[in-house]
Amino acid sequence: MSTAEVSVDIDQDWTACGQCGVLLYRKRFARLAHVCPECGWHQRLTAPERLDHLLDPRSGRAVEPGPTAVDPLAFHDRVPYRQRLAAARAETGLDDAVLVARGTIAGRPVVVAVLDFRFLGGSVGTAAGEAVVTAVDTALAHRLPLVLVTASGGARMQEGALSLVQLAKTSNAMAAMDEAGLLTVTLVTDPTFGGVAASFATLSDVIIAEPGARMGFAGPRVIRQTIAEELPEGFQTAEFLLEHGLVDDVVPRGELPQVLGVLLAAGSGHPAPEPGSIGDSSVGGADLSGSVGGSTVGEADLAGAGPAGGPTVTDPDLLAPRPVEEVLRWARDTARPTVGDHLANWCDGFVALRGDRAGADCPALVVGVALLGGRAVVVIGHRKGHSTDELVRNNFGMASPAGYRKAVRLMRLAAKLGLPVLTLVDTPGAHPGPDAERHGQAHAIAECLRVVGGLPVPVLSVITGEGGSGGAIALAAADRVLMSEHAIYSVISPEGCAAILWRTSTATAEAATALRVDARSLLRLGVVDGVVREPAGGAHTDPAGASRLLGEAVRHALDELCALDRDRLVAGRRARFRDLGGISAFDHGRLPGTGRTGE
């Protein structure tokens, strides 16, 4: 049991926080959804309270599960099981531990199943298992997303093996949601242990947790009794789970409806994007319809753009050559806009997701679901930073195996929900070192390439700064690859090439020239399909303007890719990469994948 389980009653008007002990006015405490304003402690909610908090007002409708056996084992310990059931029903007003309802969250239709810890510790027996499966059946019948709110000690011992098999029953139901391509979300509340954690609770596409909520297979008491080991402080808490890649986020109760609204928009249909700007961005507060963060992008910035009038150049002859030293310096400038800057400027909403579900998260990769101009998109991007502290914290944008496994998880979610994938590449390369090797860096990159190559949804990739080696191509095996005007893309860093082939660090410029790392050369080779203009002087001189130009290019490209026949996407993507470097294309004076005449 939590040391801060419930508030302490003082009188009818006042109560005390169960964690910090501060006096709380009951009406204000209720308005705050039973979250202490002083310490942030989240008091447990009953299932009816939870539905009232999550669902839009007057939208909830109860869903009744089918009948199940009562006391199938005629179980009797200190108190007969039937007597325990009767007491729980009288105390809670519920038939069993799970309450199911249909309703809307942020206007989006959804099915919600909530476990109530008051009912025999939220334990799952035949009736609770049937209720969870009924929620799934309802979601399948109406093609709706499913939200599960967990609070449970695990399987119900008084029903023996019939309780145990509910793990398989509910897990099969979750698999049916996967097969139907319907979004599932778990909200972990305190506590969630045992068979619930080892079945439907952790099989959702997205797992979020309330602050301080605990989740694990074996609870502290079981661990202590089984192996006589005391757990360290904070073990199995939401924050511990987030650090170890086992949940996507820890979300305070007051923010849950907004976060769920963005996720449900991605999972339950969304309007086509409006022509014009990529979005009004409630996240970054930037106006994308002209002046962006004080910087106006004019017609001169778009000179030489593609035939659609956007900022993407498809003819390499329209790009001026630049000194290679300048190209390298501009591509790596820490003032260039990062993935976070772009998302803040472009998005109507963004929910970051975290973790590889195997014990780790990688800060060098940002992944999540974004709403861009009304279109839901899965975004995967390398994260560097602007300051030394940010760069160090994010491993300089060099992803670990956990990062690429996290990316694969999001790619598979995109395939399930039918969402396009946008990758933003800016990395010197995959993270090197003993830990990365021990955890299978090569395998993680290879699996990423295999999965992205076979995704049945549009994939757009943009090289925004550095595109280094396997760490970059893992996210860039796309239907269309764009490149920022002053970015670089190469099989190895120029410094590494100079050290190996020239055997001197002074030959970096010569190596960069020979490798053709610049956008103009790569467009001519057909490695990239278009180059996105940057403001005069480079993206680092006008980050907001650069982000606006890139956002316009992304919008145009997504519009085109999402209009393609999805049954032919995979074949076309694989053909694109097979053709690159083909000798017949050069023999005929054409460059593969571009339709342009080569030199």
Side-chain angles (χ1 to χ4, degrees), residues 350-382:
F350 177 71
V351 175
L353 305 179
R354 298 174 179 84
D356 66 351
R357 294 293 187 272
D361 185 39
C362 174
L365 274 186
V366 174
V367 306
V369 177
L371 300 179
L372 304 183
R375 171 181 282 128
V377 181
V378 164
V379 178
I380 304 169
H382 291 100

Side-chain angles (χ1 to χ4, degrees), residues 337-364:
T338 64
V339 59
D341 298 325
H342 292 313
L343 291 174
N345 286 329
W346 301 346
C347 291
D348 305 312
F350 177 71
V351 175
L353 305 179
R354 298 174 179 84
D356 66 351
R357 294 293 187 272
D361 185 39
C362 174

